[in-house]
Amino acid sequence: MNESVIKQLGASLQGRLRNTDLPISKCLYPLFEAVVNAIYAIDDRLASDTSFISTDSRILIRLNRAADSDLFGGKPEITSITIEDNGIGFNDDNFNSFCELDSMYRASRGCKGIGRLLWLKSFKSVEIDSCYIDSDAAKKYRHFAFTPNGITTLSTSNVNNSEVGTKVTLLGISNTYKEAISRLNQETIAKSLFEHCLWFFLREG
C-alpha cells in the first residue's frame, strides 16, 4: 500500500501553553531554560569560532525589581529578568528552530524544544536581541518579541561594532508566579541555578 502525506499537522501556540504544566514549586524553570540555552550557544560558538575560547565565555543574569514596592517578605517584586550571553547568537538555524514547537534541533543534547513555552507560562512576553554572524560572514542584528500570539516586531539589520551574543528579557511575571519568584533573593536563585546546571560543570572539558 502506497502512503503519502496529504497535510502536515499544525500546532497552536496558545493550545500548547494551555497544556503545558509549570507548578509554582518550579517557578525558576523559565530562568533555568534560558541559561541552558545560553550555555549551548556558547558551546556552538566555541565549536565554530577558533578565535573564541572557553575563558572568553560569559553569561550575565539581572533580576530587575520594582523601585517603589515592598510586597513579598520585604522584597520588591521582580518585574523582569534579563539573561545575556556571548554565544553564537540567533543565526538562521537557531531562529528557525525557535519558530518550531517541539523542535528536534538539539534533541541529541537532550533538549525537548519546550523551554520557551515555560517562559510564556510565567511571563507575559519575552524580548530577544541578538547579534550573530550569518552564512556570508556578515555580522547581523536580530530583534523580536515572543508572546502567546506568536513572534512579533521581527527585524534584522547589518551591524559592525556589536558583540556577538544574545540578550533574553523575560517581562511581566504573571500573578500566578509573581509572589513565589519575588520572595527569592539572588543568593537562593544562584544556588538553585548552580544545582540545576551542575552537569555542565562536571562534564568533560
Side-chain angles (χ1 to χ4, degrees):
M1 177 178 178
N2 294 327
E3 296 182 356
S4 61
V5 176
I6 298 175
K7 184 176 176 60
Q8 293 287 342
L9 294 175
S12 165
L13 175 57
Q14 294 185 5
R16 289 287 280 109
L17 288 171
R18 180 192 62 199
N19 296 326
T20 299
D21 184 40
L22 180 63
I24 293 178
S25 61
K26 296 184 178 181
C27 64
L28 289 179
Y29 271 54
L31 171 60
F32 295 166
E33 291 293 335
V35 172
V36 169
N37 287 344
I39 292 173
Y40 283 132
I42 288 171
D43 283 350
D44 290 343
R45 187 175 178 187
L46 288 169
S48 63
D49 183 355
T50 56
S51 66
F52 183 74
I53 60 177
S54 59
T55 53
D56 295 330
S57 61
R58 182 184 71 254
I59 299 174
L60 176 64
I61 301 167
R62 290 189 179 93
L63 308 175
N64 306 303
R65 293 185 184 267
D68 56 354
S69 63
D70 188 5
L71 302 176
F72 307 112
K75 298 179 181 63
E77 69 178 62
I78 291 177
T79 56
S80 65
I81 300 175
T82 59
I83 303 94
E84 297 182 56
D85 69 72
N86 60 346
I88 200 169
F90 259 78
N91 57 26
D92 289 344
D93 287 339
N94 287 328
F95 179 70
N96 291 335
S97 173
F98 187 94
C99 293
E100 181 182 356
L101 293 177
D102 303 307
S103 170
M104 298 294 290
Y105 184 56
R106 288 177 174 162
S108 62
R109 301 179 180 180
C111 298
K112 299 179 180 179
I114 62 172
R116 59 201 179 283
L117 296 177
L118 299 184
W119 294 351
L120 293 184
K121 285 296 290 188
S122 54
F123 291 84
K124 296 176 182 177
S125 66
V126 183
E127 289 194 6
I128 296 175
D129 298 271
S130 186
C131 180
Y132 62 97
I133 307 297
D134 72 3
S135 57
D136 296 324
K139 186 179 286 187
K140 289 191 174 181
Y141 167 79
R142 170 174 273 139
H143 168 80
F144 61 96
F146 182 47
T147 74
N149 294 321
I151 294 173
T152 58
T153 63
L154 174 64
S155 65
T156 58
S157 58
N158 293 325
V159 293
N160 293 316
N161 298 323
S162 297
E163 182 182 5
V164 171
T166 299
K167 179 172 75 172
V168 174
T169 306
L170 308 176
L171 292 161
I173 304 178
S174 70
N175 290 333
T176 302
Y177 303 96
K178 184 178 293 183
E179 180 176 357
I181 294 177
S182 295
R183 282 187 181 278
L184 302 174
N185 59 36
Q186 64 186 40
E187 290 80 12
T188 300
I189 293 175
K191 180 181 178 182
S192 298
L193 180 60
F194 176 77
E195 291 173 350
H196 182 82
C197 297
L198 183 61
W199 176 80
F200 291 101
F201 293 91
L202 300 177
R203 61 182 176 163
E204 184 177 356

